[in-house]
Amino acid sequence: MFDILVYLYETYYRPDACPEPAVLARKLSAVGFDDVEISEALVWLTDLNAMAGVEQILTASSTGTRFYVQQESEVLGAAAIGFIQFLESAKVLSPLQREIVIERALALDEAPVSLGKLKVIVLMLLWSQGKEPDALMFDDLFVDDEDLPPRLLH
């Protein structure tokens, strides 16, 4: 499913450039994606778009601390929680966007969610809302840290 999400992000610069779900499913199938994965990705995106629409209506701000319940901690893991907190403190994510990211990660039915997959979730949320992170943040989001050697600071 994540291969499809990355493909959509790379292929369609804006979410409104994406065709309707039925047409998109045919295009994805023609490119070679599995029908089951296409279906999962389209359902996941539909749910994301529904939640992202609610986020645009609500404009609440939060200055409190977010505590994670045991299920969230188990599914996300310490690295993902730390990354979410980093994105929120860097003002890349609002508190409502954070909640959408957490909900979409919990919807995956896997534990723990890898940091690479969490980054794709964040990118897809921002993409679905027509927002793009700045260049430095984009590099952190788009690169899967788990597959790279540690960076050296010069």
Side-chain angles (χ1 to χ4, degrees):
M1 177 180 88
F2 278 86
D3 291 337
I4 293 172
L5 298 177
V6 170
Y7 175 82
L8 292 176
Y9 185 86
E10 292 175 342
T11 304
Y12 300 101
Y13 184 70
R14 297 179 332 268
D16 58 351
C18 256
E20 294 298 316
V23 175
L24 181 59
R26 286 193 301 275
K27 286 185 176 204
L28 291 171
S29 184
V31 172
F33 289 109
D34 179 61
D35 289 339
V36 173
E37 286 187 345
I38 292 170
S39 177
E40 289 175 358
L42 291 178
V43 167
W44 192 91
L45 276 173
T46 299
D47 292 345
L48 172 67
N49 289 332
M51 295 188 75
V54 170
E55 195 275 334
Q56 291 176 353
I57 294 169
L58 301 172
T59 55
S61 63
S62 171
T63 56
T65 301
R66 171 62 154 89
F67 289 95
Y68 293 82
V69 297
Q70 182 177 354
Q71 177 196 13
E72 293 170 335
S73 295
E74 290 171 358
V75 170
L76 295 171
I81 291 172
F83 192 68
I84 291 169
Q85 290 172 335
F86 164 71
L87 292 175
E88 192 174 359
S89 69
K91 305 290 187 221
V92 173
L93 293 178
S94 71
L96 289 168
Q97 287 172 316
R98 173 198 64 215
E99 295 304 314
I100 294 170
V101 168
I102 293 168
E103 190 281 331
R104 293 288 74 211
L106 294 175
L108 296 178
D109 274 345
E110 65 180 75
V113 173
S114 73
L115 194 53
K117 287 182 179 179
L118 183 78
K119 290 176 180 184
V120 172
I121 292 170
V122 171
L123 275 175
M124 293 308 294
L125 171 64
L126 296 174
W127 177 79
S128 72
Q129 296 177 338
K131 299 174 184 173
E132 191 168 323
D134 66 30
L136 291 175
M137 196 57 65
F138 180 80
D139 286 343
D140 278 342
L141 286 172
F142 207 75
V143 176
D144 188 0
D145 295 347
E146 297 163 353
D147 297 333
L148 295 177
R151 293 182 186 172
L152 299 176
L153 298 176
H154 297 273

